[in-house]
Amino acid sequence: MVIGSLLEEYNDVNTSWVGETDWIYRTNLSCLKEEYDYVLLTFHGVDTFASVYLGDKLLGSTENMFLRYRYDVKDLCDGNTRELRLQFRSSVVEARVRAKERALPIVPACPPDVYHGQCHVNLIRKMQASFAWDWGLAAPSMGIWKPVRLEYYSSALIRDLTVSINETEVDTDERWTIDVGVYLETGLSSVPINGLLTFKIMYRGIVTSALHMDYPRGVPLADESDQTLSVTNHTDANGECLIKHRLTVRKDAVERWWPNGFGKQTLYSLYVRWEDVTVNSVELPNPDTKISEKVIRIGFRTVQLVQERATDGLMFYFRVNDVPIFAKGSNWIPSSVLPERSYDVNYECTITTHYSIVKFLLYAARDAHMNMLRVWGGGLYESDHFYRMADELGLLIWHDLMFACSMYPSDADFLHTVADEVRQNVRRIQHHPSIAVWATNNENEVALRQNWYKTETNFSTYAAQYTQLYVDVVRPTVMANDPWRTVLLSSPSNGNYRSDGEYIAQNPQDPHYGDGK
């Protein structure tokens, strides 16, 4: 059966059976472990509930489309061909089952009937808009929506790099400090690590033609001894370890990054290399297996969300590089209701075949003189391509975490997967200079206070769940992984204005405070 576009006629309704059916994805896989210490099968995005098998062995299960899942397959990499199989359970059915188990309903249970949507999406960690929203149809997708990788290495792998870049002054010498977080992985268990980290900052200008190539050039560190760091440590029980290191550069050695309309979007490459101590101490047949490298792009800028006292409340505006800016922009919903298309840099816009849909829309925002987009909480943590484009075009990002217009559970399993989700995605996204501010949710505070979903009779219980999720888990997890930015509890909210211990304002939309609207 060939199904036409979901956007045509009543195809969304006529094909709703797809989301209520279990599916199996399968392919053949043959691998060799050779001399590697670690061989991991890594799924960067599985939507949503699946049991993962390699041959007859159950590797594990997935339950959160925003998570990365890693499985040790070294013992199965013996050269034989095995079937790699993902048995998907319907997320629609799973959400219904979870709803039956609850004494207090997590509201709203369903979207309005006119949406022809599905129910209880707030009980599962999936793109919330995929069960229908006021702007889009129901498309409860199921499948592998991000890359799958076989990862081979024999020492440590650099998974993520985070940065916190700030201005400082040393003996009248103006500098930038770059606090780098290097997240190393050693399989799935705790082991000792011993090696050397090397850090370099490089700049490449615009390539105007083949005859005028601007090759990368190094940015001198204020203290060249900071270029390397010896590491002796242990990874934790999950095979993970954070190494922190500070670099400094003179201010006159770099240019600032500016939002669209205020200056250039100058970007630099931060290169980090891990080299195991054994690389130079003994002769190895494959030394590259003990080396890991990663490059991210960074920008030198400051962003402050100013909330100074005013005569009738608090100010609420952004100051970038000490310049107040008027934020002009739009609300960004996923570029497709099918999440894998938002991640596909080759998925083309129907208006023009020259650009991908994401590139087309971001260029349109830039050309319309916007300088900020708000990544909405009912959608996705967007692709690396999206954030790189935002950096290049000078589009600041107000970033919601993926919770919107709803109450949510606060049981232990839900909080655990949310903490992992926030941790992984903030670490991946955090280094982009375009990210300006985080908000833990979209409209959930105002929905609770204004009784959108008839929560008033059980207000204290729902308020406690709200506090457990956003105050006790989401916000501190964001702050632990990104100390560089402001984290708002909701949008809209009163910002910094709240009574002691009051996390649900009497009027979250008060125009005198925060982003009330």
Side-chain angles (χ1 to χ4, degrees), residues 221-427:
L221 300 179
D223 186 343
E224 289 299 327
S225 66
D226 291 339
Q227 186 168 331
T228 58
L229 176 68
S230 295
V231 176
T232 302
N233 211 317
H234 276 79
T235 52
D236 63 18
N238 296 316
E240 299 176 349
C241 180
L242 167 62
I243 305 297
K244 297 180 179 180
H245 187 55
R246 172 169 287 187
L247 309 173
T248 58
V249 299
R250 293 173 54 90
K251 275 194 179 178
D252 57 11
V254 296
E255 298 180 6
R256 291 180 184 266
W257 180 95
W258 289 94
N260 183 32
F262 288 83
K264 292 170 56 180
Q265 289 76 53
T266 307
L267 295 165
Y268 295 83
S269 295
L270 172 63
Y271 165 87
V272 180
R273 170 188 171 103
W274 164 263
E275 185 176 291
D276 193 272
V277 69
T278 61
V279 168
N280 295 315
S281 61
V282 296
E283 187 171 335
L284 298 171
N286 297 299
D288 288 350
T289 67
K290 292 180 176 288
I291 295 170
S292 181
E293 299 172 309
K294 192 173 183 70
V295 179
I296 60 172
R297 292 196 306 181
I298 61 174
F300 292 89
R301 95 296 183 266
T302 61
V303 175
Q304 298 167 284
L305 179 53
V306 180
Q307 300 187 64
E308 298 167 342
R309 175 66 61 180
T311 55
D312 58 350
L314 296 179
M315 303 293 287
F316 195 88
Y317 68 93
F318 288 93
R319 189 157 56 205
V320 181
N321 297 326
D322 291 327
V323 176
I325 72 164
F326 181 79
K328 300 179 292 183
S330 294
N331 189 57
W332 177 275
I333 61 174
S335 57
S336 172
V337 74
L338 299 176
E340 68 277 7
R341 289 183 173 176
S342 292
Y343 258 73
D344 184 358
V345 298
N346 297 313
Y347 178 60
E348 293 184 344
C349 175
T350 56
I351 301 173
T352 172
T353 58
H354 298 298
Y355 295 147
S356 71
I357 183 65
V358 169
K359 186 174 182 179
F360 174 80
L361 292 172
L362 293 182
Y363 267 63
R366 189 275 310 271
D367 294 345
H369 305 290
M370 298 182 191
N371 56 34
M372 180 174 280
L373 293 174
R374 186 271 194 112
V375 173
W376 171 69
L380 301 167
Y381 304 96
E382 289 289 340
S383 67
D384 295 336
H385 172 65
F386 172 91
Y387 300 108
R388 284 195 297 266
M389 290 294 302
D391 292 342
E392 293 172 5
L393 298 175
L395 297 171
L396 291 165
I397 301 296
W398 172 305
H399 211 303
D400 290 353
L401 282 299
M402 296 302 117
F403 305 88
C405 301
S406 180
M407 304 301 103
Y408 285 88
S410 62
D411 52 271
D413 288 344
F414 189 85
L415 295 180
H416 178 75
T417 193
V418 163
D420 287 343
E421 165 193 324
V422 173
R423 187 180 302 113
Q424 287 187 14
N425 284 282
V426 170
R427 288 177 186 175

Side-chain angles (χ1 to χ4, degrees), residues 19-22 89-99 131:
E20 301 188 37
T21 306
D22 295 346
R89 306 193 312 276
S90 164
S91 57
V92 174
V93 174
E94 180 69 23
R96 289 176 191 158
V97 171
R98 295 189 177 197
F131 277 31

Side-chain angles (χ1 to χ4, degrees), residues 27-86:
T27 189
N28 290 328
L29 176 65
S30 176
C31 53
L32 286 170
K33 60 186 175 184
E34 297 182 334
E35 302 300 321
Y36 293 95
D37 290 352
Y38 309 107
V39 183
L40 278 85
L41 183 61
T42 300
F43 292 83
H44 288 274
V46 178
D47 180 10
T48 295
F49 299 97
S51 298
V52 183
Y53 291 86
L54 185 54
D56 295 328
K57 183 175 181 179
L58 174 63
L59 300 180
S61 59
T62 71
E63 63 172 8
N64 186 328
M65 74 172 286
F66 302 124
L67 276 186
R68 176 179 61 251
Y69 289 91
R70 300 181 296 147
Y71 303 109
D72 184 351
V73 295
K74 181 179 177 181
D75 292 342
L76 297 173
C77 285
D78 54 9
N80 292 319
T81 298
R82 293 178 173 86
E83 183 181 70
L84 175 60
R85 185 172 71 258
L86 276 71

Side-chain angles (χ1 to χ4, degrees), residues 47-48 65-66 91 121 124-128 130-131 140-141:
D47 180 10
T48 295
M65 74 172 286
F66 302 124
S91 57
V121 70
I124 60 177
R125 293 312 297 145
K126 177 176 174 57
M127 186 174 85
Q128 299 293 278
S130 66
F131 277 31
S141 51

